Amino acid sequence: MSIRVGVIGSAGRMGSEVVRALEGARDLEFVRGITAEDSLDQLLDENGARLVDVAVDFTLPSVTKANVLWLVQHGIHAVVGATGWDDDALAEVRAALKASPETGVLIAPNFAIGAVLAMSFARTAARFYESAEVIELHHPDKVDAPSGTALHTARAIAEGRTDGGLGPSPDATERDPHGARGADINGVHVHAVRLRGLVAHEEILFGNAGEQLTIRHDSFDRVSFMPGVLHGVREVASHPGLTVGLENYLSL
Ligand SMILES: NC(=O)C1=CN([C@@H]2O[C@H](COP(=O)(O)OP(=O)(O)OC[C@H]3O[C@@H](n4cnc5c(N)ncnc54)[C@H](OP(=O)(O)O)[C@@H]3O)[C@@H](O)[C@H]2O)C=CC1
Ligand SMILES: O=C(O)C1=N[C@H](C(=O)O)C[C@H](O)C1
């Protein structure tokens, strides 16, 4: 029996790609797209029963939390790509799930398998290097910075450094009135580039005396995210509760 799927943000760059991917998957049924002009109630029938088993959210940081809370309230599993999630928002989702413990919610800042692998490699490498910084590079239509991927990467690096007993990275900066050192995420500096012609790219730099390790991932086309999104759609029902990061669905 096919999994019935709705797409929230279906008219967007990512949402429209997800619709195409669902329409090409024989075990998945694309039931309904929800645009900014629609109501989430259109994922329910006239009696309030669910029309979809899973909803994929690729809206925006400003609206995704409200969408996910609505999905949880209605017992619809959620596969969430929209970024902009902070600890308070995640805590609200966890609290809402207490009343709907069978519902699965997957929030993943990046669904590209290569990006997930890059973040996993970075966590492993982190404890071996004195210095580590992250550069994320995106199209100039992106509304948030740094990217959710870069935040997730920096936090993974920081965890790896802590596990490895490392202290702060060396940095003699005394004056930085223009913020040239980038964002400081748990001690890892993150830099954001916005450039016409780019899609989604990340470079993770590790440094020791006499050597540098660079881990780079490039998404040249949004189709790169689709295998991960479809994997999430197929798996979310068997992962009740909140999961942050596709790596948790890949046994990484
Ligand atoms: N996890 C991952 O792998 C990836 C995550 N992303 C993230 O996904 C998000 C979307 O990116 P992208 O597709 O490029 O952005 P877009 O702006 O192209 O798409 C967002 C869509 O959501 C719509 N929207 C806004 N509010 C609502 C609402 N309340 N209900 C339904 N739809 C709504 C927008 O409509 P309108 O234009 O009319 O406002 C727009 O069509 C971003 O947060 C981005 O960081 C992006 C790529 C990969
Ligand atoms: O806005 C985008 O395009 C992307 N956003 C995600 C993020 O913020 O990490 C994932 C990917 O980098 C593309």
Side-chain angles (χ1 to χ4, degrees):
M1 183 157 156
S2 291
I3 300 172
R4 303 170 302 166
V5 187
V7 179
I8 310 173
S10 56
R13 288 179 291 268
M14 281 300 294
S16 54
E17 194 71 48
V18 173
V19 171
R20 273 192 291 276
L22 291 170
E23 289 173 337
R26 280 185 291 185
D27 61 326
L28 306 175
E29 180 191 352
F30 170 58
V31 173
R32 172 81 215 207
I34 302 292
T35 70
E37 289 66 48
D38 297 320
S39 162
L40 290 173
D41 288 340
Q42 292 168 270
L43 296 175
L44 308 173
D45 71 10
E46 61 278 5
N47 301 314
R50 293 185 291 266
L51 291 172
V52 298
D53 306 300
V54 178
V56 179
D57 182 286
F58 276 100
T59 54
L60 293 168
S62 56
V63 299
T64 184
K65 181 182 75 174
N67 292 342
V68 173
L69 292 174
W70 186 95
L71 294 171
V72 170
Q73 182 188 344
H74 291 83
I76 296 173
H77 304 295
V79 173
V80 185
T83 48
W85 289 87
D86 61 21
D87 289 344
D88 290 345
L90 295 175
E92 283 189 59
V93 172
R94 288 192 182 93
L97 281 163
K98 290 190 168 80
S100 188
E102 293 310 304
T103 304
V105 177
L106 170 62
I107 298 174
N110 204 308
F111 278 97
I113 303 301
V116 175
L117 287 171
M119 290 187 270
S120 177
F121 297 157
R123 195 194 193 290
T124 299
R127 63 193 176 97
F128 295 101
Y129 288 89
E130 200 179 356
S131 300
E133 302 214 8
V134 178
I135 304 168
E136 55 102 324
L137 308 93
H138 284 84
H139 57 90
D141 302 313
K142 182 170 179 55
V143 297
D144 57 329
S147 68
T149 302
L151 291 169
H152 201 68
T153 305
R155 289 167 183 144
I157 292 169
E159 283 173 17
R161 292 177 64 86
T162 300
D163 291 351
L166 294 185
S169 291
D171 186 349
T173 306
E174 292 179 2
R175 286 173 42 79
D176 183 14
H178 302 287
R181 292 289 293 119
D184 181 334
I185 308 299
N186 299 357
V188 177
H189 285 260
V190 175
H191 312 270
V193 173
R194 296 292 176 264
L195 212 64
R196 184 60 72 200
L198 296 179
V199 175
H201 315 265
E202 183 179 59
E203 204 155 281
I204 309 160
L205 310 179
F206 292 103
N208 272 340
E211 74 157 328
Q212 177 175 320
L213 170 65
T214 302
I215 301 171
R216 180 174 174 114
H217 179 262
D218 296 277
S219 276
F220 301 111
D221 185 301
R222 289 177 178 85
V223 70
S224 61
F225 303 109
M226 295 305 113
V229 171
L230 298 191
H231 182 67
V233 169
R234 292 177 173 120
E235 292 295 322
V236 66
S238 57
H239 290 73
L242 173 61
T243 303
V244 178
L246 184 64
E247 61 272 18
N248 297 287
Y249 280 29
L250 299 175
S251 308
L252 284 180

